[in-house]
Amino acid sequence: MNIIPYNSQFATDFKTLNIEWLEAFFYVEPYDLEVLSNPEEYIINKGGFIFFASKDDQILGTVALMPTGNTGVLELTKMAVSPSARGMGIGQQLIAHCIAFAKAQHLNKLILYSHRKLENAIHIYKKWDFKEIPLEEDVVYKRANIKMELAFN
């Protein structure tokens, strides 16, 4: 398994994997569709990063680190793994990569938004030392009911 950085040739994989995941567990919000359809505009060109889990020239998973407007803070978001590759630890590898990358970039923290029904995901985030923090009222994701952070200082 290789973790590789964003390349525009994988933009369709980024969108497809995320929409597939959202439709399986929730629904696609208009904001999701806008970001997923324009990853360079919303993530890359604003100083964010997208990574892919690749094996044998096949994209099996993806994750993004999106700018938040706060210096030194990125949002871990848009993580999705192909249904055929779930249970192989790809999500764990993507999170590990993002944490190592954030530390190497000397970030202050990573934040994420999730939903409590995703018990396995919440368990994994806690395993990586993400801590629950208050969720703001005007959060951009309607489905989010938990916010977590991993501080590096």
Side-chain angles (χ1 to χ4, degrees), residues 10-45:
F10 303 130
T12 301
D13 295 295
F14 180 69
K15 182 177 180 180
T16 301
L17 285 168
N18 272 282
I19 287 178
E20 190 173 56
W21 184 91
L22 285 166
E23 288 177 341
F25 293 97
F26 296 100
Y27 49 89
V28 180
E29 296 180 17
Y31 179 70
D32 293 316
L33 194 55
E34 187 68 23
V35 172
L36 295 171
S37 297
N38 304 287
E40 291 178 22
E41 177 184 344
Y42 281 90
I43 300 171
I44 301 298
N45 295 345

Side-chain angles (χ1 to χ4, degrees), residues 74-99:
L74 293 178
E75 177 188 350
L76 187 137
T77 188
K78 306 299 181 228
M79 186 163 72
V81 174
S82 171
S84 65
R86 290 186 188 143
M88 297 171 48
I90 293 171
Q92 295 259 14
Q93 290 179 54
L94 288 167
I95 291 172
H97 181 81
C98 287
I99 291 170

Side-chain angles (χ1 to χ4, degrees), residues 26-27 37 42 51 55 62 115 123 146 151 153:
F26 296 100
Y27 49 89
S37 297
Y42 281 90
F51 302 104
K55 184 174 183 182
T62 187
H115 193 283
H123 175 77
I146 186 172
N153 38 357

Side-chain angles (χ1 to χ4, degrees), residues 14 23-24 32 48 59 65 76 84-85 91 112 118 128 140-141 144 148:
F14 180 69
E23 288 177 341
D32 293 316
I59 300 298
L65 293 175
L76 187 137
S84 65
L112 63 84
L118 300 173
W128 287 99
V140 69
Y141 307 105
M148 302 179 86

Side-chain angles (χ1 to χ4, degrees), residues 72-74 98-111 128 130 149-153:
V73 180
L74 293 178
C98 287
I99 291 170
F101 180 84
K103 287 179 179 178
Q105 296 292 313
H106 305 290
L107 296 180
N108 297 328
K109 66 176 85 169
L110 292 176
I111 63 165
W128 287 99
F130 279 85
E149 74 174 15
L150 176 60
F152 299 116
N153 38 357

